[in-house]
Amino acid sequence: MDPRIAVVPGSFDPPTLGHLDVIRRAAGLFDQLHVLVVHNPGKEAMLPIAQRQSLLEQSIREAGIEGDVIVAAWSMGLLVDYATDVGAKVLVKGIRSQVDVAYETPMAIVNRDLAHVETVFLLPDPSHALVSSSLVRQVAGLGGDVSPYVPAAVARFLDTGARDL
């Protein structure tokens, strides 16, 4: 039987506890999970891709997330190209609200049409449903405490003054 491989894409700028919640649950559903840090040309990034990848690796390790979880980065080409390259048949997306559903649905349809890659939507734990990376960036940029919303590795990193990047 072929392994069940999925990709969890995101900008992860920065990684949040909601991201880790989705990653943990997706890791339990698939034989191999690729957590893919992608460049979003529509957003101004706070952290370089390599830093986001490093923070995700550390956060996943510290959270004790089990399974075959690979953290990678992708900045050129279509997301489904990466999925096809690694043999993934599924993209996993965290959905916080109807706004996310409206945004993600057209992309899911196009990804299925382009490469026969399905999209699975996972709802967050209610305690993380209102937290976004954008909100965390805004609070951190104004000097607020983001530790209730991000993994400890991210909070430590931001506390060192890295939010000025």
Side-chain angles (χ1 to χ4, degrees), residues 10-133:
S11 58
F12 303 106
D13 186 33
T16 68
L17 292 174
H19 291 135
L20 279 189
D21 176 52
V22 169
I23 292 166
R24 173 180 283 110
R25 290 187 292 122
L29 296 172
F30 297 94
D31 299 321
Q32 186 177 78
L33 187 67
H34 290 252
V35 178
L36 190 64
V37 181
V38 297
H39 168 69
N40 184 336
K43 294 181 182 177
E44 173 97 19
M46 178 177 78
L47 302 173
I49 285 180
Q51 186 63 59
R52 291 180 258 160
Q53 186 176 353
S54 175
L55 287 169
L56 269 170
E57 289 168 342
Q58 188 174 355
S59 297
I60 289 167
R61 186 173 50 255
E62 289 178 3
I65 295 175
E66 297 182 6
D68 188 1
V69 179
I70 298 162
V71 179
W74 184 258
S75 60
M76 298 297 290
L78 297 171
L79 173 59
V80 292
D81 292 339
Y82 179 89
T84 301
D85 287 351
V86 300
K89 305 264 191 259
V90 175
L91 301 175
V92 177
K93 301 280 192 106
I95 296 293
R96 294 170 305 204
S97 69
Q98 290 179 345
V99 172
D100 287 348
V101 172
Y103 177 79
E104 295 291 348
T105 297
M107 287 189 290
I109 292 168
V110 170
N111 287 334
R112 184 178 59 215
D113 289 346
L114 287 174
H116 306 288
V117 174
E118 294 291 344
T119 300
V120 172
F121 296 137
L122 289 181
L123 298 174
D125 182 279
S127 64
H128 307 302
L130 300 177
V131 176
S132 67
S133 291

